[in-house]
Amino acid sequence: MKTYILTLALGLITTAGFTQRITKGDDGLDKKVLEVQVTGPALLTLEMERELQLTAQQQQEVKQLNELRYQQLLETEKTATAVSSDQMIQKVHLQNDKALTKVLSSEQLRRFLELEGRQHAQHLSELDNH
C-alpha cells in the first residue's frame, strides 16, 4: 500500500514537473522580433499577419492603417490633456476598427479585437452600423 501511494505521488510530481516545462508561445515570432528590432506599427502588423492569416492585399492595407494609427496615437499623446486623453485614444481606436471592417473578414476582425483585449468593447455594435 505504501509503495502504491509513493508511486502515485512520484507520478503526480513528475507529471506536474513536465507540464510546467511545456509552454505554448510565440517563440518563433519572439525570435524574429528580437533579431530585427521590430517595434510599433511594424510589430503589430507582423503579429496580425501571423495571427489573422492575412492575404497579401490585406497585409498592405493593414500596414498602412497601423502606421496611421500609431501616428495618430503619438499626436494624441503630445496634444491631449490628462482628462481628454482617454477619450481621444478611444476615438483613434474606433476609427481604426471602422477602417479594419473594410479590410478584414468578420472572423478576422473578431479575432483582432480578441487579441487587443477589446472583444467586449461597447463600440463593437457601432462597427456593424458603419
Side-chain angles (χ1 to χ4, degrees):
M1 182 71 166
K2 287 182 182 180
T3 308
Y4 177 72
I5 292 173
L6 286 174
T7 305
L8 182 62
L10 182 61
L12 290 173
I13 291 170
T14 304
T15 303
F18 281 118
T19 48
Q20 287 181 0
R21 292 178 48 202
I22 298 173
T23 59
K24 180 180 178 186
D26 304 12
D27 292 338
L29 181 60
D30 290 345
K31 288 177 184 175
K32 282 183 186 177
V33 169
L34 292 173
E35 287 173 7
V36 278
Q37 301 289 326
V38 178
T39 60
L43 177 61
L44 179 60
T45 302
L46 183 64
E47 185 176 2
M48 287 177 73
E49 287 174 11
R50 180 177 172 267
E51 293 292 328
L52 305 178
Q53 301 172 350
L54 302 177
T55 65
Q57 178 67 31
Q58 285 177 319
Q59 289 175 12
Q60 290 299 321
E61 293 179 37
V62 163
K63 180 180 178 182
Q64 292 172 351
L65 289 173
N66 286 339
E67 288 172 358
L68 178 63
R69 175 178 159 187
Y70 270 79
Q71 287 173 353
Q72 291 173 337
L73 288 172
L74 287 174
E75 289 172 16
T76 299
E77 279 183 16
K78 291 177 186 174
T79 59
T81 63
V83 176
S84 67
S85 178
D86 288 342
Q87 291 173 340
M88 292 176 75
I89 289 172
Q90 192 173 25
K91 184 178 177 181
V92 169
H93 288 303
L94 179 59
Q95 288 172 344
N96 183 67
D97 294 347
K98 285 180 183 178
L100 283 174
T101 61
K102 297 173 183 157
V103 177
L104 302 178
S105 69
S106 59
E107 179 59 30
Q108 286 173 321
L109 182 64
R110 183 195 62 75
R111 179 72 177 126
F112 168 73
L113 291 171
E114 207 174 85
L115 290 169
E116 290 270 303
R118 295 185 289 129
Q119 68 270 25
H120 301 297
Q122 290 179 339
H123 66 275
L124 287 179
S125 60
E126 294 176 27
L127 291 177
D128 296 332
N129 297 331
H130 298 290

